[in-house]
Amino acid sequence: MTDADTTTATADWQAWQESWDRQQEWYLPDREERFRIMLDMVEAVVGTAPRVLDLACGTGSITARLLARFPDATSTGVDLDPALLAIAEGTFAGDDRVTLVTADLKDPDWPARLPHDSYDAVLTATALHWLHREPLAELYGRLAGLVRDGGVFMNADHMIDETTPRINAAERVQRHARMEQARESGVLGWTEWWQLAAKDPVLAEPTARRYEIYGDHADGDMPSAAWHARVLREKGFGEARPVWCSPSDTLLLAMK
């Protein structure tokens, strides 16, 4: 099913999925709403049996929700993180609707590792902010070659409008205050979650390898939604605009 590394020890993969979801919701309390709108637009544009590329798939959060809503869908998950791919592999073991691929999205040849030449939808969430503008623009050009005519690309991520600094500052203060309250109630943040993974007998080794690859968490540029829409059109998409937003995040849809 996958070219990600396999593990021989056993783990409660559903528990790890739920733990990852809780950790992500610490940053993104409206995470499920983003996924719901994303799948609404998949259905609206390409129907209920799409071939999907789950880009920078992590543990397979998008794929899990895709298949729960659309049982006839198929998904290719691509990522470089050995630990998150191990969780995805354990979660979807035996499900022939899912293929997992290990690849670096900054490698210009990564699409050659995919099982299909084209996709109805390419979906990603809270991942591409790791890239700076130039490699992100190059990635968008490659995605334009993977999405079929009439297909869609959707990116849900932090997109900062630098023309509204006071609004941005107020939102940031409010968000961090809410996050601190959640931390005091025992919610795991990013660092604490990875510390837990590093102690797990199954995930310790892939977690060590992911730190060799990535080091500590580092953000890219996080440009505005307008920048994303403009670059996607320049790279070959016919239309692009936000279809949902929160005070800090945007779900941007580009149609080929």
Side-chain angles (χ1 to χ4, degrees), residues 159-179:
M159 299 183 188
I160 299 175
D161 187 339
E162 296 177 352
T163 68
T164 58
R166 291 182 297 165
I167 296 172
N168 298 348
E171 182 279 325
R172 189 180 307 111
V173 168
Q174 192 272 343
R175 174 163 42 90
H176 281 272
R178 184 184 62 230
M179 290 168 64

Side-chain angles (χ1 to χ4, degrees), residues 82-103:
L84 299 185
L85 280 173
I87 296 173
E89 179 183 330
T91 299
F92 300 108
D95 191 334
D96 60 9
R97 297 172 298 176
V98 180
T99 303
L100 297 174
V101 174
T102 301

Side-chain angles (χ1 to χ4, degrees), residues 2 45 60 73 115 117 126 133 144 156 162 183 230 239 241:
T2 174
V45 180
D117 294 330
T126 326
R133 282 174 170 82
E162 296 177 352
R183 183 192 292 274
R230 174 179 60 80
E239 302 175 11
R241 72 165 176 87

Side-chain angles (χ1 to χ4, degrees), residues 34-256:
R34 297 194 308 168
F35 289 144
R36 183 184 68 80
I37 298 299
M38 178 181 282
L39 296 181
D40 282 350
M41 296 310 299
V42 167
E43 181 175 4
V45 180
V46 297
T48 59
R51 175 192 290 170
V52 170
L53 176 61
D54 186 351
L55 191 72
C57 65
T59 66
S61 298
I62 291 174
T63 292
R65 288 154 180 81
L66 171 79
L67 299 179
R69 178 160 168 177
F70 306 128
D72 293 329
T74 59
S75 179
T76 302
V78 59
D79 207 301
L80 187 61
D81 189 311
L84 299 185
L85 280 173
I87 296 173
E89 179 183 330
T91 299
F92 300 108
D95 191 334
D96 60 9
R97 297 172 298 176
V98 180
T99 303
L100 297 174
V101 174
T102 301
D104 185 348
L105 297 181
K106 290 185 283 189
D107 178 353
D109 296 324
W110 71 266
R113 300 181 66 85
L114 301 176
H116 306 292
D117 294 330
S118 68
Y119 289 85
D120 301 309
V122 177
L123 309 177
T124 189
T126 326
L128 301 189
H129 64 272
W130 284 53
L131 297 176
H132 292 280
R133 282 174 170 82
E134 184 174 343
L136 181 56
E138 292 174 357
L139 175 64
Y140 281 171
R142 295 185 188 102
L143 295 180
L146 287 171
V147 176
R148 68 163 173 84
D149 288 346
V152 295
F153 165 67
M154 278 184 269
N155 179 14
D157 211 341
H158 311 305
M159 299 183 188
I160 299 175
D161 187 339
E162 296 177 352
T163 68
T164 58
R166 291 182 297 165
I167 296 172
N168 298 348
E171 182 279 325
R172 189 180 307 111
V173 168
Q174 192 272 343
R175 174 163 42 90
H176 281 272
R178 184 184 62 230
M179 290 168 64
E180 185 58 33
Q181 291 174 351
R183 183 192 292 274
E184 291 174 357
S185 70
V187 174
L188 293 179
W190 175 266
T191 301
E192 293 81 9
W193 191 91
W194 281 108
Q195 290 171 346
L196 192 66
K199 297 175 182 177
D200 183 84
V202 174
L203 292 178
E205 190 274 335
T207 296
R209 285 192 286 118
R210 72 88 57 194
Y211 273 100
E212 292 175 359
I213 295 170
Y214 293 110
D216 292 328
H217 187 282
D219 286 328
D221 296 327
M222 292 184 283
S224 68
W227 181 93
H228 287 271
R230 174 179 60 80
V231 172
L232 284 161
R233 289 191 294 266
E234 289 173 354
K235 294 297 183 178
F237 288 89
E239 302 175 11
R241 72 165 176 87
V243 292
W244 175 91
C245 69
S246 74
S248 62
D249 282 48
T250 297
L251 171 58
L252 192 136
L253 184 152
M255 189 169 180
K256 186 75 179 290

